[in-house]
Amino acid sequence: MVLYAEGTFYKGVGVTHSIVRCFLNIVPAVEDCTDRGCLALSLLELLGFNLTFAFFATLFVLIQPVAAGSGIPEIKCYLNGVKVPGVVRLRTLVCKVLGVLFSVSGGLFVGKEGPMIHSGAVVGAGLPQFQSISFQKIRFDFPYFRSDRDKRDFVSAGAAAGVAAAFGAPIGGTLFSLEEGSSFWNQGLTWKVLFCSMSATFTLNFFRSGILFSSWGSFQVPGLLNFGEFKCSDSDKKCHLWTVLDLAFFVIMGVVGGLLGATFNCLNKRLAKYRMKNVHPKPKLIRVCETLLVSLVTTVIVFVSSMVLGECRSLTPPNDWNNSTVAMQVSSSDEVNSSIKTFFCPNNTYNDMATLFFNPQESAILQLFHQDGTFSPVTLSFFCCVYFLLSCWTFGLSVPSGLFVPSLLCGASFGRLVANLLKSYLGLTHIYSGTFALIGAAAFLGGVVRMTISLTVILIESTNEISYGLPIMITLMVAKWTGDFFNKGIYDIHVALKGVPLLEWETEEEMDKLRACDIMEPNLTYVYPHTRIQSLVSILRTTAHHAFPVVTENRGNEKEFMKGNQLISNNIKFKKSSILTRAGEQRKRSQSMKSYPSSELRNMCDEQLAAEELVEKEDMLQQMLERKYTPYPNLYPDQSPSEEWTMEERFRPLTFHGLILRSQLVTLLVRGLCYSETQSSASQPRLSHAEMSEDYPRFPDIHDVNLTLLNPRMIVDVTPYMNPSPFTVSPNTHVSQVFNLFRTMGLRHLPVVNAVGEIVGIITRHNLTHESLQARLRQHYMTS
């Protein structure tokens, strides 16, 4: 299902090529203006074209901000277990697809492969649900796959299908989803994702082969970006794709690629911080102006450099050209030379700079890979520097933008430059320039994104040359090691800038000096098995927690745990300062509940109590705070710490019974499930699992609940809906074990329970981030 739904995006990509072709028609118009003196007019036409399309690309991002960028960091966070708002919505898909069409067609140095991955993930997330929040009236009775785990699996398959369709690499797409995306993987998911990727590749191949070559069923075009066949000319007997001696140059290129990637990431990180501080907080018009400025500078540089720095070089006879692309595998000389741009050059010559700048990025990559001796060192050097700087400036704008193709193009020009220098100055005539261009592309892309396994397989599948496996792997490993010495990959940097609690694959060894009790949050926000509506509303409105422990108070043994100013319960120490924290939280809740309309409420559960509520004039919150120690915590569940309570009363041992989600509590309040003090909890209506998950994945918010329909004195029995056996750990559990439990089981909350069943803290993803663990470790060294 995912692969058929992605057809919409693939058709949109076809529209992109059509728009780009319209853009390319401006180049002959520019050349025609040479004799008529209308060069300035042609530049203005080009500027108007690019600025208009860049404006529309920004407009779609303003409608849905999460559609900006490549989308890979957001999908990576989602698959890691973090819910990013709006990342897999239908509106995001529409804005992403339309936005990337305009950004690519507008001449910005961006790619469409990253947005394709994001689009595939959105299709994978939404299609199995058979409903959308944007089309609420269209609903199907399809109760399957309505859980976070199933949704993550489909998102993984959609992301892999996007990679497979972009590069014609189904195995590479599967490995990409495994290496760079999903945090929770199993064997059964592997073959499902691979089947989805394979189906997406062949579906795209079938339609593109039929549309482009009218040869339905021939499967000639495996992906949107294919690197063509690397093959030495039959007339050159000394030529080899690569030799053992070339591995030394590949290692050096890997080091340089890692340094360039680290520099790119450093500059882009500083630029992203500047945007977050000076651009994003300001009106949206500033973002539009920034995009238009980048488009203006890019267009002027491309036009002027092609006119001033471009060299007129002789056309190479078609018979000497290598098989470079599927589009170039033709016999006609005109079709072979169709991508060559003369641009003010005389007959039988062409402008090498304009050929790179005024062609689609895919065509420019293929020319760098397969044409021999067509670009001067000055052109390659200038093109590499310009693409490096402008791609760094462009990535992070408020437009949908990918990074794969610009990185490949920049790296390919670097590799081609190295091959030209080795041929010219060292006399290494056996060097195949296309191989060095491919290795340069791999080195720079690996230095930027820091991927190894999946990127190796993607490049091998895109070249259909298994002999390139070893040099590509060596280059990527060296580039990754070199870049990691300075900073992280570009996607990890942007994830960190967004403040997302992304969990790495494993923790450092020194982190095992910490235990669960060192990193947990001891100040708990909990609910009782039978809790008053007033307390539930107060908790939900004053906290943002996703889940709450369900507890009862163990009042019998509290005296034996008191020693001086500390409460010691099974080696867990709560300092006196935490009392003030909990008291402050309670005062905050009290202030937020002052406006609770307690005197004019209508009871949904028991209409007979409505008359009594009209007589009740005393503030319900004041009653809650003034109620003293009572031996029935389940009957009076709204009891909260008062400033008059002693330490024993504030920190009673809490017996742990289970976890209940925020969405479940809000659903219970919306449905009005409760009972009164004069009734038994058995009188409370029960909801089935299907009824509880009816609003998935967007449950109602507590601030949208109409409080006038709720009686604060009514009690809600949460025990039928809580998880009575969640994963728990001991206070003495090593951090590495806690970390592995989060990663392998996909947890979001982990209660810390001591030997007698008392909850003493809770661990969330924020407690396991690298920054949080480092802070806890420093604190551990200071106190030990």
Side-chain angles (χ1 to χ4, degrees), residues 65-66 68-77 82 84 180 261 263-276 280 290 391-399 401-403 448-450 487-502 504 771:
V66 76
S70 67
I72 294 179
E74 289 78 9
I75 295 300
K76 183 176 181 179
C77 295
V82 180
V84 182
E180 194 69 12
T263 305
F264 184 94
N265 295 351
C266 180
L267 294 177
N268 190 262
K269 180 180 179 180
R270 293 179 178 272
L271 188 59
K273 287 184 177 180
Y274 177 83
R275 286 182 175 131
M276 295 174 63
H280 294 172
E290 183 190 18
S391 297
C392 183
W393 189 14
T394 305
F395 189 74
L397 288 177
S398 295
V399 295
S401 57
L403 195 60
V448 172
V449 300
R450 313 290 165 80
N487 49 34
K488 294 183 179 180
I490 188 66
Y491 299 136
D492 294 327
I493 288 176
H494 280 264
V495 168
L497 290 176
K498 296 177 185 297
V500 177
L502 186 72
E504 303 293 340
E771 294 76 11

Side-chain angles (χ1 to χ4, degrees), residues 444-462:
F444 186 80
L445 181 58
V448 172
V449 300
R450 313 290 165 80
M451 293 188 299
T452 53
I453 301 176
S454 60
L455 191 55
T456 300
V457 177
I458 289 173
L459 294 177
I460 292 176
E461 289 184 287
S462 300

Side-chain angles (χ1 to χ4, degrees), residues 528-533 535 551-553 555 627-628 630-639 675-681 712-716:
Y528 294 99
H530 301 263
T531 308
R532 289 192 186 277
I533 287 181
S535 292
V551 303
T552 55
E553 296 181 0
R555 302 170 183 270
R627 186 172 291 115
K628 298 299 182 180
T630 60
Y632 306 105
N634 290 349
L635 186 58
Y636 296 98
D638 53 350
Q639 181 173 339
Y675 67 95
S676 65
E677 297 179 0
T678 60
Q679 296 174 325
S680 170
S681 61
R713 295 183 61 96
M714 303 300 290
I715 301 174
V716 178

Side-chain angles (χ1 to χ4, degrees), residues 353-587:
M353 186 78 74
T355 300
L356 291 178
F357 273 130
F358 283 99
N359 266 315
Q361 294 174 331
E362 293 81 359
S363 299
I365 291 176
L366 292 170
Q367 290 172 356
L368 291 171
F369 281 172
H370 298 289
Q371 294 184 18
D372 190 19
T374 56
F375 305 102
S376 67
V378 175
T379 297
L380 293 174
S381 301
F382 181 81
F383 181 81
C384 180
C385 293
V386 168
Y387 237 87
F388 179 93
L389 296 175
L390 291 181
S391 297
C392 183
W393 189 14
T394 305
F395 189 74
L397 288 177
S398 295
V399 295
S401 57
L403 195 60
F404 272 79
V405 172
S407 299
L408 288 172
L409 190 53
C410 183
S413 60
F414 159 68
R416 191 60 179 263
L417 175 63
V418 173
N420 288 1
L421 295 178
L422 292 178
K423 284 184 177 181
S424 302
Y425 295 98
L426 297 182
L428 301 178
T429 57
H430 73 281
I431 286 179
Y432 181 62
S433 301
T435 299
F436 275 76
L438 176 64
I439 295 301
F444 186 80
L445 181 58
V448 172
V449 300
R450 313 290 165 80
M451 293 188 299
T452 53
I453 301 176
S454 60
L455 191 55
T456 300
V457 177
I458 289 173
L459 294 177
I460 292 176
E461 289 184 287
S462 300
T463 58
N464 295 320
E465 187 62 55
I466 190 62
S467 62
Y468 280 141
L470 180 61
I472 290 176
M473 174 58 84
I474 292 177
T475 304
L476 289 176
M477 290 176 59
V478 173
K480 175 179 171 56
W481 291 340
T482 305
D484 286 342
F485 184 79
F486 298 96
N487 49 34
K488 294 183 179 180
I490 188 66
Y491 299 136
D492 294 327
I493 288 176
H494 280 264
V495 168
L497 290 176
K498 296 177 185 297
V500 177
L502 186 72
L503 300 185
E504 303 293 340
W505 283 105
E506 57 186 9
T507 59
E508 301 175 1
E509 293 184 1
E510 62 175 350
M511 293 301 175
D512 261 350
K513 297 179 181 180
L514 299 176
R515 306 299 176 99
C517 58
D518 297 321
I519 66 172
M520 69 181 186
E521 176 57 49
N523 297 316
L524 299 174
T525 302
Y526 51 85
V527 298
Y528 294 99
H530 301 263
T531 308
R532 289 192 186 277
I533 287 181
Q534 183 166 2
S535 292
L536 283 182
V537 173
S538 176
I539 291 173
L540 294 173
R541 292 181 65 179
T542 57
T543 63
H545 305 316
H546 181 260
F548 303 91
V550 181
V551 303
T552 55
E553 296 181 0
N554 182 7
R555 302 170 183 270
N557 302 322
E558 57 192 27
K559 294 292 185 181
E560 62 182 272
F561 296 119
M562 295 304 302
K563 293 183 179 180
N565 291 334
Q566 293 180 337
L567 172 63
I568 304 178
S569 177
N570 292 280
N571 299 325
I572 302 300
K573 300 182 179 181
F574 297 98
K575 295 185 177 181
K576 206 170 184 180
S577 59
S578 60
I579 298 177
L580 301 177
T581 303
R582 186 176 293 186
E585 292 178 357
Q586 179 56 35
R587 285 194 297 269

